[in-house]
Amino acid sequence: MKTLAINRRTGRPVEPESEFIIKIHDINDNEPMFTKDVYNASIPEMSDVGTFVVQVTATDADDPTYGNSAKVVYSILQGQPYFSVESETGIIKTALLNMDRENREQYQVVIQAKDMGGQMGGLSGTTTVNITLTDVNDNPPRFPQSTYQFRAPESTPPDSPVGRIKANDADVDENAEIEYSITEGDGYDMFGITTDKDTQEGIITVKKALDFENKNLYILKVEATNTHVDPRFLYLGPFKDSATVRIQVEDVDEPPVFSRPAYIMEVKEDVPINSVIGTVTAQDPDAAKNPVKYSVDRHTDMDRVFNINSGNGSIFTSKPLDRETLLWHNITVIAAEINNPKQSSRVPVFIKVLDVNDNAPEFAMFYETFVCENAKAEQLIQTLSAVDKDDSYSGHQFSFSLAPEAASSSNFTLQDNRDNTAGIFTRKTRYNRHEMSTYFLPVVISDNDYPIQSSTETVTIRVCACDHRGKMLSCNAEALIHPTGLSTGALIAILLCIIILLVTVVLFTALRRQRKKEPLIISKEDIRDNIVSYNDEGGGEEDTQAFDIGTLRNPEAIDDNKLRRDIVPETLFMPRRTATARDNTDVRDFINQRLKENDTDPTAPPYDSLATYAYEGNGSVAESLSSLESVTTDGDQDYDYLSDWGPRFKKLADMYGAMDSDKDS
C-alpha cells in the first residue's frame, strides 16, 4: 500500500511517497462442512470387526496455514458400539462382531467434524450415515412342525397334488431358496415332491395309482435344503431340515378291474354258432366285492357277430364267421357292477379268425381264347392258372383236369404242368368256324388241403381265321350264298327296310291330313280359352276402305259374302242368312242376336274364341262423337249444344267452337 503527504494550501507533496505492508491474520470463523448432507452405505451381515463401511469428508474455509482453524477431527456421536470412525480420515468401520441382519437391518450413524484439532472452542458440523446390513445365507431352513398328515382318495390320478409343506428360512432372495426331496419311506416310489418357486413350498404329488385295498397308509421323510450355501457359515450347522409326512389313502367305490389290459383270442371260421371262443374276467377291487355283469359294446360289433355271457364273461359266436371276409374282429367288453352300473370299465378283445379249407380254387381270370382254323394237332393255345381264397401254410397245390363229360369227346386236351398251371392243346388238325364257331371247355380245379375242395370252370374257345403265321384275322362266320337265292340274313334286312319305308309313308300322309285342318291359332293346348290375334293394322282416318265403322251402327250393311278369318276354309259355301236387327234395336237385343248366331254357326271352331261385337247402340242423344264417322257425313255439324251440357263439357265445347270460328273466318 503506497501513501503520499500533500500540503493543503499549495497542493504540493511535502515528502516522497511511502509504502506500507498490511497483513490480515485469520480467525476461526468458519465451521467444517461435509460434502454430503446424508451418506448411504451397506455391508454384509456377520462382517468382521474393522470392516470398511464408508468414508465421510468435511472441509473448512479457514486458513490451514495459520493455527489450527482448518484442522478437522472426526468423531462419532451416534452409532456406537456398532461402528467407529477414524478421527483423521473419516473412515467408518464396524466395531461389533457378528451383526445379524435378521435381528437388525438398518443403522443410523451421526458423525461430527470439529476444527481447532478438536480442542475446546472449535467449530463443528455433523452428517448422517445410513448403513444397511445385506443378507448372507447364515440361516438354514426349518420346518415349523415335525410331522404332517394328508389324505388322498385312491382314485386320485397320477401327477395330482396331495398337499403342501413349507420350511421357513429367515434369509431372503436366493439365500432363502429351498429344494425339497423325499429321502426315505415306504411311499418313496408312490409319491413325489416339487418346489413352488414363487412360494418356496413343497408340493407332494401322486406318481402311481393308489389302491386302498392294497395299502392305505404311507409314511415319507421329506428334506428341505438350501440351494445356495455359503461355505463361510458351514460351521453354523447343516443347511437343511427334515420332517415326516403321513399320507392316508381313502377308500372309494371303484369300477371293476379286468385281469388283463387286453385279450387276444383265436377261433376257426367253421365253428358252429354259439361256440365259446374265450372268457374275460373282471372283479370289483373294493372290499365289498360287488358282483359284476358283462356286455359287448355294440358300437364295436354292429353286426352282432359275437355275444357274451353276462354272468361268467364267456364270449361265443352268434353268427357264422368267414375269414376271407374279415380276418380280425376287434370288440370291446364292458364290465359293470350290478349294484352300481355307473361303475364300469372296458377292455379290448381282439379275435382272429383262423382259416379252414372252405373255398374251392378258381381261375385267376376269365379265360376266353381262340384257335385257328388251320391249327395243327397238339398245339398249345392257352395256359391256365388258379387262385384260392384260403390260406395254405405249405403253399397251394392245384390239379387241373377236364370234366368227365368232356374228357373223351372234346376237341381239346388239358395237360397239368404240376406247378399250379395247365395248358390247353388242340386234339385234331383244322377246325371249321362255319360248323362250330365257339367251344366251351369245362375244367376241374382241385386243391390238396383237407377237406379237398374243387370247382369246375369254363374256358371259352372261339374258332377264328388266321394267317400263315397264326395271327387272328376274323372270328365271325360269313353268310353262305346258296345258288337257289339269298341268305336268311339278307332276306331279314330287306324286310326291315320295307317295313321302315311303309311306316314313313303312313306318318307323312297322316301329318298332311292334320295340317289341312290346322287352325290359324297355333297353340300346344287346343282345349282351353284362346285369344285370336289377327295382327291386322288399320290405315287410320284417311283409310275409308279398310273398315267402315258405320257398319256397326247399321247392321243391314253387313256384307253377307264375308268369310271367317279364324280358320282356313275347307269349302266355300254361303253362310246362313239371319234376320238383321232393326235400326232402332238396343244393345242388349243386338248382343243376344249375335250370341245366338255364334252358337248355331256350324262353321265355328270346336274351341272357345273371342267374338267382339263393338256395337255402340243408336239411342244416344249426342249421337256418335267419333271422328271416324265424320267422314261418312256430307255437311258440317253444329257443336253449340255442347255448351248446354254443363261444366264438364266446357273444354270440349271451347275446342269445337274454336274450330267453327276458324272455318267461318
Side-chain angles (χ1 to χ4, degrees), residues 290-293 336-341:
N290 294 320
V292 177
K293 64 177 181 180
E337 294 182 8
I338 295 178
N339 299 333
N340 186 10

Side-chain angles (χ1 to χ4, degrees), residues 415-653:
Q415 179 180 337
D416 192 345
N417 298 326
R418 305 298 179 183
D419 59 354
N420 294 336
T421 63
I424 300 177
F425 294 85
T426 57
R427 175 175 284 182
K428 65 179 183 177
T429 302
R430 301 192 63 83
Y431 294 83
N432 190 341
R433 57 188 167 134
H434 300 297
E435 295 178 357
M436 180 66 72
S437 61
T438 305
Y439 293 92
F440 299 99
L441 187 65
V443 178
V444 178
I445 312 172
S446 303
D447 57 21
N448 65 340
D449 292 331
Y450 180 82
I452 296 177
Q453 299 287 342
S454 63
S455 66
T456 301
E457 302 286 334
T458 302
V459 179
T460 303
I461 304 174
R462 303 177 63 187
V463 181
C464 301
C466 304
D467 57 13
H468 64 282
R469 293 176 295 181
K471 184 178 180 181
M472 181 181 65
L473 298 178
S474 175
C475 292
N476 298 324
E478 293 92 1
L480 299 178
I481 305 300
H482 299 282
T484 57
L486 297 176
S487 64
T488 303
L491 292 176
I492 293 174
I494 293 174
L495 182 59
L496 288 176
C497 292
I498 294 174
I499 292 174
I500 293 173
L501 182 60
L502 290 176
V503 171
T504 304
V505 172
V506 171
L507 291 176
F508 180 73
T509 304
L511 290 174
R512 291 195 61 184
R513 289 181 179 179
Q514 185 177 0
R515 188 176 299 175
K516 289 182 179 181
K517 297 181 180 181
E518 182 179 0
L520 292 177
I521 303 173
I522 300 175
S523 174
K524 294 182 179 179
E525 298 174 344
D526 292 338
I527 311 301
R528 67 168 58 182
D529 294 343
N530 292 279
I531 297 177
V532 180
S533 177
Y534 297 108
N535 295 324
D536 187 7
E537 183 178 356
E541 295 184 2
E542 301 299 330
D543 186 3
T544 60
Q545 301 299 325
F547 187 77
D548 188 1
I549 196 66
T551 305
L552 295 177
R553 301 184 68 252
N554 299 295
E556 296 85 353
I558 297 177
D559 188 0
D560 293 339
N561 294 327
K562 289 186 178 180
L563 301 177
R564 292 178 60 88
R565 304 200 317 174
D566 56 342
I567 62 171
V568 178
E570 289 186 349
T571 58
L572 297 177
F573 60 90
M574 297 301 293
R576 183 171 55 87
R577 295 294 301 271
T578 59
T580 59
R582 296 190 307 272
D583 191 27
N584 295 326
T585 186
D586 58 5
V587 176
R588 179 178 298 177
D589 293 340
F590 176 81
I591 292 176
N592 290 334
Q593 182 178 353
R594 287 291 181 265
L595 180 62
K596 184 177 181 181
E597 291 177 2
N598 281 275
D599 289 340
T600 58
D601 189 359
T603 61
Y607 45 79
D608 294 341
S609 61
L610 180 65
T612 304
Y613 304 130
Y615 177 60
E616 296 180 354
N618 54 6
S620 175
V621 178
E623 297 184 354
S624 176
L625 299 179
S626 174
S627 61
L628 296 176
E629 194 179 357
S630 62
V631 298
T632 62
T633 60
D634 296 334
D636 295 332
Q637 297 188 21
D638 185 7
Y639 298 101
D640 294 337
Y641 59 87
L642 293 176
S643 301
D644 301 334
W645 287 8
R648 295 189 178 184
F649 293 89
K650 184 177 183 304
K651 183 68 175 178
L652 191 61

Side-chain angles (χ1 to χ4, degrees), residues 23-67:
K23 188 174 182 180
I24 301 174
H25 293 280
D26 184 33
I27 63 174
N28 188 19
D29 58 349
N30 292 284
E31 70 275 7
M33 299 291 294
F34 283 95
T35 57
K36 295 181 180 179
D37 294 335
V38 178
Y39 288 84
N40 294 305
S42 63
I43 58 169
E45 62 173 332
M46 308 298 291
S47 297
D48 296 333
V49 175
T51 302
F52 173 82
V53 178
V54 70
Q55 183 178 11
V56 296
T57 302
T59 59
D60 196 324
D62 294 328
D63 186 5
T65 62
Y66 181 78

Side-chain angles (χ1 to χ4, degrees), residues 139-153:
N139 294 282
R142 290 289 181 263
F143 283 106
Q145 60 192 68
S146 60
T147 303
Y148 295 85
Q149 291 189 2
F150 299 101
R151 293 180 178 272

Side-chain angles (χ1 to χ4, degrees), residues 201-213:
E201 292 178 314
I203 305 173
I204 300 175
T205 58
V206 177
K207 292 173 61 177
K208 296 181 180 179
L210 303 177
D211 188 1
F212 173 83
E213 291 72 25

Side-chain angles (χ1 to χ4, degrees), residues 158-178:
D159 298 328
S160 298
V162 174
R164 290 172 175 254
I165 60 175
K166 180 177 176 59
N168 298 324
D169 194 328
D171 298 322
V172 295
D173 299 333
E174 66 175 14
N175 297 319
E177 292 182 0
I178 301 174

Side-chain angles (χ1 to χ4, degrees), residues 104 134 136 192 206 291 306 310 314 352 365 405 431 550 629 655:
R104 183 177 179 182
T134 59
V136 296
V206 177
F306 300 95
S310 61
S314 59
K352 182 179 181 181
M365 57 180 293
E405 65 272 13
Y431 294 83
E629 194 179 357
M655 292 174 57

